[in-house]
Amino acid sequence: MDAVPDIVDAVLIFLVILSVIIWSVGISKYLAFYRNSRFDREFLAVFSKARDIQDLLAVMSSTKGRLARVCQAGLDELVSWQYLANSVAPDDKREMLMHSLKQQAHAEQTRMENGLSILASVGSTAPFIGLFGTVWGIMNALKSITAMGSASLDVVAGPIGEALIATAIGIATAVPAVLAYNYFLRKVRLSAATMENFASAFHLLVLKSRIKHD
């Protein structure tokens, strides 16, 4: 009988550990999104003033963030064009440029999604883990009633109390995880749309630059 309550205690400890993990992930993700959003705003302010690709080359060394890395991928692709044969069609070059931009944008999106699976997993499993502790606590209470031959409050209060605490902590762990997951998933989608729009804007700037220098 002494070993039975230890399982409920282990469930409570495990849920507390999961709660610490999701709060750590949530805070770190929030700080990362905040920092990158600030970098992206600063970069867009610089990009909006650029009239051709040469203007970007002059400021790329001082810019940071997701959009800056997407832009750098596009600039690297433009540099590689000088090693291509002249027989490469302009349409093929534009396709290569968009591929480089989208590839880097996909890499940035994958990086933003890191940690979201943890939030989703905890949000979906924590209530069931708490429920497991609840069931075990009730089983413990029933065994205590059988062993003691009494259903008095002092016999069942401890196991039932542990059962209720397990349920509460399971819910308290799951709710923040689900809310954080939905919040950051929306942030990822908005950032992905922003990078897609930037890729189109960068491609348009390249075309303007070619027209300007032709």
Side-chain angles (χ1 to χ4, degrees):
M1 293 293 294
D2 293 339
V4 175
D6 293 340
I7 296 179
V8 181
D9 294 339
V11 170
L12 296 176
I13 293 172
F14 185 60
L15 287 173
V16 170
I17 292 174
L18 289 181
S19 181
V20 172
I21 290 175
I22 63 130
W23 279 102
S24 299
V25 171
I27 292 174
S28 63
K29 294 295 291 183
Y30 178 81
L31 294 176
F33 272 96
Y34 176 80
R35 182 172 59 253
N36 278 288
S37 296
R38 179 167 57 85
F39 288 150
D40 288 346
R41 287 194 300 269
E42 294 173 354
F43 176 78
L44 286 176
V46 173
F47 180 80
S48 63
K49 299 177 182 178
R51 295 294 175 262
D52 55 30
I53 295 299
Q54 297 300 323
D55 293 341
L56 286 179
L57 292 174
V59 299
M60 282 305 298
S61 60
S62 61
T63 54
K64 300 178 181 179
R66 295 169 297 214
L67 293 182
R69 289 190 288 270
V70 174
C71 181
Q72 187 61 57
L75 294 176
D76 292 342
E77 179 62 30
L78 293 179
V79 171
S80 69
W81 285 3
Q82 61 183 318
Y83 302 106
L84 296 176
N86 294 329
S87 59
V88 178
D91 289 341
D92 293 336
K93 289 183 177 180
R94 287 193 290 269
E95 186 69 23
M96 293 165 59
L97 176 61
M98 290 303 297
H99 175 74
S100 297
L101 293 171
K102 290 181 179 179
Q103 189 176 36
Q104 183 61 39
H106 179 72
E108 296 298 329
Q109 182 176 349
T110 301
R111 185 181 303 171
M112 287 186 290
E113 291 173 349
N114 288 339
L116 294 188
S117 60
I118 297 176
L119 297 177
S121 298
V122 173
S124 60
T125 59
F128 297 102
I129 297 173
L131 182 60
F132 172 76
T134 298
V135 172
W136 205 278
I138 293 175
M139 289 173 56
N140 185 29
L142 294 176
K143 289 180 179 180
S144 298
I145 293 173
T146 302
M148 302 295 295
S150 171
S152 60
L153 183 61
D154 58 339
V155 174
V156 299
I160 294 299
E162 287 183 332
L164 295 176
I165 292 174
T167 301
I169 294 181
I171 295 174
T173 303
V175 170
V178 172
L179 292 177
Y181 174 79
N182 291 331
Y183 173 79
F184 291 123
L185 183 61
R186 180 175 178 273
K187 286 286 188 180
V188 169
R189 291 174 176 173
L190 290 175
S191 297
T194 300
M195 289 188 291
E196 183 177 350
N197 292 334
F198 172 77
S200 299
F202 182 88
H203 184 257
L204 180 60
L205 184 63
V206 172
L207 294 179
K208 290 181 178 179
S209 298
R210 292 186 63 183
I211 295 173
K212 180 179 178 180
H213 293 93
D214 285 346

